[in-house]
Amino acid sequence: MHLLETVQHLAYDPGITPSGGGLPGLAVLKNVVNSINLFAIVAVVGALAVSLGVWAWGHHTGGHQAEANGKKGAVVAAGAALGLGAANGVVAFFSALGSQVH
């Protein structure tokens, strides 16, 4: 019976759901996160510009290592931009997916 009681305890629904306005400062926290996201996007634009410049410099001077590093930097910056832009959608998707688990 001990195993059955443990399974029943794990299957118990505590009734907790996310709700806006439950704690003070939610608007401030959203503003801070939005600002961090904007700062990161600006940094990625700078990283992409530098990487493309290194890529072009390496190509024109025959520096194969610089050219390869510029390409890698450009791909990483593009991936970071994709991740930053999709962050809200990814979290919303998995949150909705997680709420369907019963």
Side-chain angles (χ1 to χ4, degrees), residues 19-95:
S19 66
L23 291 174
L26 185 60
V28 173
L29 182 61
K30 285 181 181 180
N31 193 16
V32 168
V33 171
N34 286 338
S35 298
I36 290 170
N37 196 6
L38 175 63
F39 179 77
I41 288 173
V42 170
V44 166
V45 169
L48 182 61
V50 168
S51 295
L52 293 175
V54 169
W55 185 357
W57 177 75
H59 176 75
H60 289 293
T61 61
H64 300 293
Q65 187 69 29
E67 184 178 1
N69 286 337
K71 287 178 187 178
K72 284 189 284 187
V75 170
V76 168
L82 178 67
L84 288 168
N88 261 351
V90 169
V91 170
F93 172 76
F94 283 108
S95 177

